[in-house]
Amino acid sequence: MSDSVFKGSLEDDEDSKFGSDTGDDSGLREVDGDTNNGIVSEGKGQDNPIELVTDREVDDDSVAENVKDLNDLSELEIERIGENSATVEPAGEAKQSLPLKQIVQPNLEIVSDGVPEQHTSQSIANIGGEKTLSIVSPLTNITHLKTEESNASSAASSARPRWSSVRDKEVLAAKTEIEKASVSVSDQELHAPLFRNVSMFKRSYELMDRTLKVYVYRDGKKPIFHQPILKGLYASEGWFMKLMEGNKHFAVKDPRKAHLFYMPFSSRMLEYALYVRNSHNRTNLRQYLKEYAESIAAKYRYWNRTGGADHFLVACHDWAPYETRHHMEHCIKALCNADVTAGFKLGRDVSLPETYVRSARNPLRDLGGKPPSQRHILAFYAGNLHGYLRPILLKYWKDKDPDMKIFGPMPPGVASKMNYIQHMKSSKYCICPKGYEVNSPRVVESIFYECVPVIISDNFVPPFYEVLNWEAFSVIIAEKDIPNLKDILLSIPEKKYFEMQLAVRKLQRHFLWHAKPEKYDLFHMTLHSIWYNRVYQIKPR
């Protein structure tokens, strides 16, 4: 396989953190309304309409006028939807900075409110009378410290309902049952090494499946509400919305029966419909969600009972942490941008996997990869140079070592895309460096193509961190250790690599979307983590 296909440049107007400014300057673009039951995918664009797997590595957000049914577009017609990408902070809105260590050596301590003890390397401590978990793990490259007392007090009071209900008692009973789960080191259905505690996960999942009821708000107008995007970079929020709104097992029509309340908006469609191009200001996006939250608080009694703590949202756009700050602060947030320095709260929020879906009709297309014995590339990366980290990666490794296939932007074309996929299917390790934000679709891509992910992103909380044991199937490297990347990978014993690669194959089922949800798949894993965090948040009156 020739590497020459990776030479050359991808014409990319996104030469600043704010992305390209071509297209409709108003920022208000047409979208195919209610066709195909209101489901959309990223539409046909104006520049280089190919479908590379890129995180914010794309030309333009604009969608051609008179768009066809967006989910019916062919692969070559898919717009390479880009994110205006960075954190655009309006005046007076500085990015939240918690007192965190940026990154770190092994054996960190992560303190997270309300997370239960799950394996032998964890211990429970009493801090301020609250049950708190110290997770000591050589895997992790973040240290989440306890926030100021006022924040902790506010979170605790929001988790404790203003008045109790029978649903609270059911959730508290589930917590007791989870903690009574018998210890097991093996399981016929699940690959135990993938989990912090497979017994607790399985018991919690069973209780969720048997107990959990979700009320899905019907309030809110399309396209921001009730219009899922099923293809492209933000597909995770769209697939969850589609499957949750069409679910008959968990969803209930009577909110009095609900343990959790889902607010079905698309953070991508919010940006698509309301962001004023070139403005570098997202205040109107946040104000729109603030007014929505206020409207459901006024219309229904359930928000006010907990301050929104039993409500949840699922959002994959980078801007979602900013857009939901303050007015949705007590809600459980399933976010792709799981950055502990940008407001992501361990023990409350859920790290949502960012999945780049190429085909809405067949999200499992090209699934799988070569067996370990046929993976002759040590490490692979190709992509645009967004953010500060990727130029450092290329500085040290591009064209430096035949074992390290580290490239910059890929040229346009189907052959280039297929070469990219084949490289992932043929590599032992797939490098997943952060872009402008901490998250990258390459993490899930690696799992999809059975390549061990190498995550380089300080302060990033990996998906489903509350239940998954990431050191069993991935390598997490500090940003400062990029110069030592090859030595770190070569230091991993072959036996350990085979174990990780097997674990990636076993893990794959938990990161797949299905038109009809299957047990333990990505829909159920996302819902389970939301349920699980609520179980350990709720306080009896």
Side-chain angles (χ1 to χ4, degrees), residues 339-401:
D339 183 348
V340 292
T341 67
F344 185 93
K345 300 291 193 305
L346 285 171
R348 181 199 70 186
D349 296 334
V350 172
S351 180
L352 177 69
E354 184 171 16
T355 57
Y356 194 105
V357 176
R358 288 190 171 86
S359 170
R361 286 186 172 81
N362 182 16
L364 306 185
R365 190 174 65 192
D366 297 325
L367 180 68
K370 294 182 179 180
S373 61
Q374 297 178 30
R375 291 179 176 264
H376 303 303
I377 302 170
L378 177 64
F380 169 66
Y381 168 80
N384 279 8
L385 304 184
H386 298 321
Y388 64 83
L389 188 69
R390 296 179 187 180
I392 297 173
L393 177 67
L394 266 66
K395 172 187 172 183
Y396 281 97
W397 294 110
K398 185 177 184 294
D399 300 327
K400 297 293 194 302
D401 191 303

Side-chain angles (χ1 to χ4, degrees), residues 427-471:
S427 299
K428 289 182 170 68
Y429 298 97
C430 290
I431 311 303
C432 308
K434 66 179 290 183
Y436 290 132
E437 302 295 343
V438 294
N439 48 303
S440 167
R442 286 177 179 80
V443 176
V444 176
E445 263 194 324
S446 300
I447 297 167
F448 198 84
Y449 299 126
E450 299 173 1
C451 179
V452 175
V454 179
I455 301 172
I456 311 176
S457 179
D458 296 356
N459 301 316
F460 174 56
V461 179
F464 311 138
Y465 186 77
E466 56 279 343
V467 295
L468 291 181
N469 174 25
W470 276 80
E471 63 186 347

Side-chain angles (χ1 to χ4, degrees), residues 370-381 403-405 422-432 446-447 449-454 473-475 489-490 492-498 500-502 504:
K370 294 182 179 180
S373 61
Q374 297 178 30
R375 291 179 176 264
H376 303 303
I377 302 170
L378 177 64
F380 169 66
Y381 168 80
D403 295 329
M404 305 288 286
K405 305 296 185 184
Q422 288 306 313
H423 267 68
M424 294 199 88
K425 288 174 175 280
S426 304
S427 299
K428 289 182 170 68
Y429 298 97
C430 290
I431 311 303
C432 308
S446 300
I447 297 167
Y449 299 126
E450 299 173 1
C451 179
V452 175
V454 179
F473 52 83
S474 73
V475 180
L489 297 180
L490 289 177
I492 298 171
E494 186 177 56
K495 181 176 182 291
K496 174 65 175 174
Y497 164 72
F498 286 139
M500 286 195 293
Q501 206 273 341
L502 172 64
V504 167

Side-chain angles (χ1 to χ4, degrees), residues 203-434:
R203 185 62 175 142
S204 177
Y205 186 98
E206 290 169 350
L207 288 165
M208 174 194 76
D209 191 58
R210 190 175 74 197
T211 307
L212 177 62
K213 299 302 176 187
V214 178
Y215 181 73
V216 182
Y217 282 108
R218 298 173 185 172
D219 304 67
K221 297 180 180 179
K222 295 180 180 181
I224 295 171
F225 292 85
H226 316 292
Q227 187 155 299
I229 296 174
L230 300 182
K231 189 160 57 175
L233 190 61
Y234 308 99
S236 287
E237 66 179 26
W239 274 90
F240 184 88
M241 183 191 298
K242 173 184 181 293
L243 298 175
M244 188 73 252
E245 290 202 311
N247 190 277
K248 294 182 179 179
H249 180 73
F250 295 107
V252 291
K253 294 181 179 179
D254 184 351
R256 292 171 297 180
K257 297 179 180 179
H259 305 90
L260 288 168
F261 298 79
Y262 172 45
M263 299 174 289
F265 71 90
S266 164
S267 59
R268 167 58 184 143
M269 296 303 285
L270 179 69
E271 179 265 344
Y272 180 93
L274 296 183
Y275 179 69
V276 178
R277 187 175 296 278
N278 252 343
S279 69
H280 299 176
N281 190 317
R282 299 163 297 155
T283 305
N284 62 323
L285 281 67
R286 188 166 73 172
Q287 181 63 25
Y288 186 90
L289 290 185
K290 180 177 183 290
E291 291 172 359
Y292 168 76
E294 290 172 345
S295 71
I296 63 172
K299 184 176 178 180
Y300 304 92
R301 66 198 297 262
Y302 306 101
W303 177 283
N304 295 325
R305 194 179 76 88
T306 63
D310 53 2
H311 287 55
F312 70 92
L313 59 94
V314 178
C316 201
H317 199 288
D318 283 354
W319 295 352
Y322 167 82
E323 293 162 351
T324 58
R325 196 181 301 167
H326 304 315
H327 50 278
M328 294 182 174
E329 198 52 42
H330 298 314
C331 300
I332 300 169
K333 304 177 184 182
L335 302 169
C336 288
N337 189 2
D339 183 348
V340 292
T341 67
F344 185 93
K345 300 291 193 305
L346 285 171
R348 181 199 70 186
D349 296 334
V350 172
S351 180
L352 177 69
E354 184 171 16
T355 57
Y356 194 105
V357 176
R358 288 190 171 86
S359 170
R361 286 186 172 81
N362 182 16
L364 306 185
R365 190 174 65 192
D366 297 325
L367 180 68
K370 294 182 179 180
S373 61
Q374 297 178 30
R375 291 179 176 264
H376 303 303
I377 302 170
L378 177 64
F380 169 66
Y381 168 80
N384 279 8
L385 304 184
H386 298 321
Y388 64 83
L389 188 69
R390 296 179 187 180
I392 297 173
L393 177 67
L394 266 66
K395 172 187 172 183
Y396 281 97
W397 294 110
K398 185 177 184 294
D399 300 327
K400 297 293 194 302
D401 191 303
D403 295 329
M404 305 288 286
K405 305 296 185 184
I406 307 298
F407 306 101
M410 296 176 64
V414 176
S416 174
K417 186 202 72 172
M418 294 308 299
N419 205 350
Y420 176 93
I421 292 173
Q422 288 306 313
H423 267 68
M424 294 199 88
K425 288 174 175 280
S426 304
S427 299
K428 289 182 170 68
Y429 298 97
C430 290
I431 311 303
C432 308
K434 66 179 290 183

Side-chain angles (χ1 to χ4, degrees), residues 2 12 21 49 109 121 147 184 218 230 248 270 297 338 342 357 360 388:
S2 169
D12 192 345
D21 288 318
E109 184 177 52
S121 64
T147 55
S184 174
R218 298 173 185 172
L230 300 182
K248 294 182 179 179
L270 179 69
V357 176
Y388 64 83

Side-chain angles (χ1 to χ4, degrees), residues 31-327:
V31 64
D32 193 26
D34 291 340
T35 59
N36 202 14
N37 296 320
I39 299 168
V40 300
S41 64
E42 303 292 13
K44 182 177 178 181
Q46 299 173 348
D47 300 308
N48 294 328
I50 64 172
E51 193 180 6
L52 297 179
V53 179
T54 54
D55 14 307
R56 293 27 131 215
E57 297 170 357
V58 283
D59 288 345
D60 181 53
D61 285 3
S62 59
V63 177
E65 293 183 2
N66 303 317
V67 180
K68 299 186 253 179
D69 179 3
L70 298 177
N71 275 321
D72 287 337
L73 295 178
S74 70
E75 183 169 333
L76 285 179
E77 291 178 303
I78 297 171
E79 180 196 13
R80 297 185 305 130
I81 296 293
E83 161 136 20
N84 290 332
S85 200
T87 304
V88 190
E89 297 292 351
E93 289 291 345
K95 185 172 182 178
Q96 182 176 357
S97 178
L98 298 177
L100 302 170
K101 295 176 184 175
Q102 270 256 322
I103 177 97
V104 233
Q105 55 266 36
N107 299 324
L108 301 180
E109 184 177 52
I110 299 178
V111 179
S112 169
D113 290 342
V115 184
E117 182 173 8
Q118 297 189 328
H119 58 72
T120 55
S121 64
Q122 301 174 0
S123 62
I124 296 291
N126 261 318
I127 299 179
E130 294 292 339
K131 196 176 186 183
T132 311
L133 173 68
S134 296
I135 305 172
V136 181
S137 170
L139 145 135
T140 223
N141 61 351
I142 56 172
T143 302
H144 188 77
L145 303 178
K146 203 168 173 69
T147 55
E148 295 85 355
E149 283 302 318
S150 60
N151 289 344
S153 169
S154 174
S157 63
S158 70
R160 186 172 290 113
R162 289 174 56 194
W163 62 89
S164 61
S165 76
V166 66
R167 307 305 157 213
D168 296 334
K169 294 175 183 177
E170 290 171 349
V171 172
L172 288 167
K175 180 178 179 180
T176 301
E177 290 298 312
I178 293 169
E179 293 179 338
K180 284 168 32 180
S182 58
V183 177
S184 174
V185 293
S186 64
D187 188 274
Q188 292 183 345
E189 277 192 292
L190 298 166
H191 188 58
L194 299 177
F195 298 92
R196 294 180 177 277
N197 184 313
V198 70
S199 301
M200 286 182 66
F201 168 74
K202 189 168 185 177
R203 185 62 175 142
S204 177
Y205 186 98
E206 290 169 350
L207 288 165
M208 174 194 76
D209 191 58
R210 190 175 74 197
T211 307
L212 177 62
K213 299 302 176 187
V214 178
Y215 181 73
V216 182
Y217 282 108
R218 298 173 185 172
D219 304 67
K221 297 180 180 179
K222 295 180 180 181
I224 295 171
F225 292 85
H226 316 292
Q227 187 155 299
I229 296 174
L230 300 182
K231 189 160 57 175
L233 190 61
Y234 308 99
S236 287
E237 66 179 26
W239 274 90
F240 184 88
M241 183 191 298
K242 173 184 181 293
L243 298 175
M244 188 73 252
E245 290 202 311
N247 190 277
K248 294 182 179 179
H249 180 73
F250 295 107
V252 291
K253 294 181 179 179
D254 184 351
R256 292 171 297 180
K257 297 179 180 179
H259 305 90
L260 288 168
F261 298 79
Y262 172 45
M263 299 174 289
F265 71 90
S266 164
S267 59
R268 167 58 184 143
M269 296 303 285
L270 179 69
E271 179 265 344
Y272 180 93
L274 296 183
Y275 179 69
V276 178
R277 187 175 296 278
N278 252 343
S279 69
H280 299 176
N281 190 317
R282 299 163 297 155
T283 305
N284 62 323
L285 281 67
R286 188 166 73 172
Q287 181 63 25
Y288 186 90
L289 290 185
K290 180 177 183 290
E291 291 172 359
Y292 168 76
E294 290 172 345
S295 71
I296 63 172
K299 184 176 178 180
Y300 304 92
R301 66 198 297 262
Y302 306 101
W303 177 283
N304 295 325
R305 194 179 76 88
T306 63
D310 53 2
H311 287 55
F312 70 92
L313 59 94
V314 178
C316 201
H317 199 288
D318 283 354
W319 295 352
Y322 167 82
E323 293 162 351
T324 58
R325 196 181 301 167
H326 304 315
H327 50 278

